Amino acid sequence: MTTLALFGGVYSNPFALRAVLADSAARKDQKLWCLGDLGGFGPDPETCAELLRAEAVDMLQGNYDHSIGHSLGDCACGYTDPRDNHFAQVSYDFTNACVSESTREWLRGLPPQARLTIEGRRVLLCHGSPRRVNEFLWNSTCSDAFLEWLCDEYEADVIACTHTGLHWSRALPGGRCVVNVGAIGRPAHDGRTSVWYAGLAFGPGGVARVDFREVAYDHEALAAQMEEEKLPPEFIETIRTGWWTTCLENVPAKERMRAMAAK
Amino acid sequence: MTVPAPIPASLRVPRQHLQPFHHLDTLWIQVAGTQCNLSCAHCFVPSGPGVNRHEMLSRLEVAARVAEGLAMGVKEIYFTGGEPFLHPEIERLVESTLAEAPLTVLTNGTLFTTRRVSWLAGLSRASKYSLELRVSLDGTDAAAHDTLRGAGAWTRTMHGLRALTDAGLLPIVTVTDHTRGNPLEFATKVTAVLREEGLAEPRVKVLPLFVLGRQAERQGHSPGKRPILWMLPEEHFDPHRLQCGSCRAVTSRGVFVCPLLVDEPEARLGHTLEGSARPFGLDFEACYTCWMTRMTCANG
Ligand code: SF4
Ligand code: SF4
Ligand SMILES: [Fe+2]
């Protein structure tokens, strides 16, 4: 049995990052990967970069990392709504202003994708989707037919991605699967203050078992630091309530209705 | 050897931008043809009562198109018209399609009975895929909307939107921006108006105004080919920017490059989806609007 732990979307939240690293270490996962997006949203990208580099965590380059690495003008998250873009720009400008040159250089050098073979299964790690770093793969807007096509086209038995911030997995007929590992930098729009990452277990039969792991962290300390940095109150509300207040417009009906029903 | 002198720009033959086809992400099916209960003054695909330029598709035709799309790995399906809820078998079409893929239905929101709304809500809750209902508005008040859509249309659409919301559905409201002002201000205004009308969590998608169909006639345009995108330098052409790299639209007349150009014979790419998976020359004025506004007809 091999376990592969995957997380994404650190979003400048060192409190959650420390908690996730400790959780994975306690579970003795054989492999640990971050699927990208160091910055955005939270108050402290630099400490996150130091933690990831000190622990030598394998990491992909997300859209945010590409943008910050190359000092581009925006995060290239791919929002279409003007209000979402407004808030995305606020956190991008904040992040861009506080990362060091050495962090930028490290981000520039990260690979956009990685391929592993575990127990004979071809595992493709990517950020948005295998074909686009900022594609949003939501559970309710990907047909089985489309996910099968992705696995065929990109020659993978397991595809793991992040970028949307909401975790899900789909087992496809024939034993292949697609996993979105969610994000650890902000809650999953579920009214809980904790965050989520994924553990994939590979047995000799090859079929992956996917567990989502909920991790609590000192979110009050994070909120206090965000207040100190004068980040938008909308962001701080999300950290304290577990409900998203921004970047909601492209969340599909199913995911939004689930949140509404739970509120 | 002599180096030939560069050809002056004025003598160069304009190059056509060829949009490659990447993959079928969004399949548009014009289930209702051009049948509509309204006949709006700015309709892109001029529709109305008794308009049969494109015919309604039968249940078997729709099922065959969905199957073709699934075989190509289609990500999401969109139903359009005219007005899809005029189709006599719309409920069976919605139910069987949603079982296979995420589905969005574009509607004017004037035909929702109480029974139909609760049926939609039940189906939406039980489905593993999203069922999106997209309702279109013009402008931010009854006067603007009714000028284009006919007296009383705003009230009926608001009634439909409230009924959907009260049943726990979250319709997307698409609003055409006739003002061409600041998009954030416009979207904020629309959201505020919808809240006042009693929608708890309004979802708003702003669309640019396309010079197509009746809108083109209103503006005294002859719609169709104008060599406008040709004037962009080739190196500015990004083959991933436009939705026509990943969509196709099906009507009773065949497969078209995108939902905007179903009345252009040259935008008809064939009879089968597989056979229409090929590059397309961006020769139309609408292409220029798509390019400039980065607009997609899809939800995201
Ligand atoms: S714009 Fe929509 S509602 Fe109006 S006539 Fe055209 S199809 Fe019907
Ligand atoms: S109108 Fe827009 S979507 Fe259609 S072919 Fe032209 S550029 Fe593509
Ligand atoms: Fe991302």
Side-chain angles (χ1 to χ4, degrees), chain A residues 11 36-37 62-64 77 127 133-134 162-164:
Chain A
Y11 303 155
D37 279 0
N63 56 291
Y64 228 97
C77 282
H127 182 76
V133 71
N134 66 351
T162 171
H163 187 60
T164 63

Side-chain angles (χ1 to χ4, degrees), chain A residues 131 140 143-144 253-254 256, chain B residues 25 74 124 127 130 132 201:
Chain A
R131 56 184 187 169
S140 80
S143 70
D144 282 354
K254 191 91 201 161
R256 283 191 76 159
Chain B
D25 284 3
V74 69
S124 169
S127 159
S130 269
E132 299 282 9
E201 253 190 76

Side-chain angles (χ1 to χ4, degrees), chain B residues 210 229 242-244 257-258 260-261 280 282 284 286-287 290-291:
Chain B
F210 273 85
L229 248 183
L242 300 166
Q243 62 173 337
C244 38
V257 63
C258 73
L260 291 161
L261 296 182
F280 177 73
L282 301 172
F284 294 86
C287 302
C290 286
W291 181 269

Side-chain angles (χ1 to χ4, degrees), chain B residues 27-168:
Chain B
L27 170 58
W28 294 80
I29 307 181
Q30 198 199 43
V31 292
T34 41
Q35 287 282 347
C36 191
N37 58 319
L38 304 181
S39 46
C40 304
H42 65 313
C43 191
F44 298 163
V45 182
S47 303
V51 177
N52 274 327
R53 208 171 53 262
H54 298 267
E55 282 160 34
M56 276 197 187
L57 298 175
S58 72
R59 195 153 55 81
L60 285 177
E61 285 170 312
V62 174
R65 292 308 196 177
V66 170
E68 264 187 280
L70 290 170
M72 291 170 71
V74 69
K75 191 178 177 197
E76 293 185 73
I77 293 176
Y78 288 71
F79 281 177
T80 181
E83 171 51 50
F85 285 101
L86 280 182
H87 196 291
E89 292 187 284
I90 188 64
E91 294 192 359
R92 295 178 72 175
L93 295 181
V94 167
E95 191 166 359
S96 57
T97 306
L98 186 62
E100 306 283 356
L103 177 65
T104 298
V105 185
L106 272 61
T107 167
N108 60 34
T110 60
L111 295 173
F112 291 128
T113 59
T114 314
R115 194 204 61 79
R116 178 155 285 168
V117 168
S118 66
W119 177 81
L120 284 167
L123 185 69
S124 169
R125 270 192 291 275
S127 159
K128 84 170 180 181
Y129 298 125
S130 269
L131 171 62
E132 299 282 9
L133 296 162
R134 232 168 78 178
V135 178
S136 30
L137 280 185
D138 286 284
T140 52
D141 56 36
H145 184 79
D146 289 0
T147 307
L148 293 164
R149 295 193 172 238
W154 172 273
T155 308
R156 285 161 73 196
T157 301
M158 284 304 150
H159 181 82
L161 283 171
R162 267 192 301 272
L164 293 172
T165 307
D166 293 347

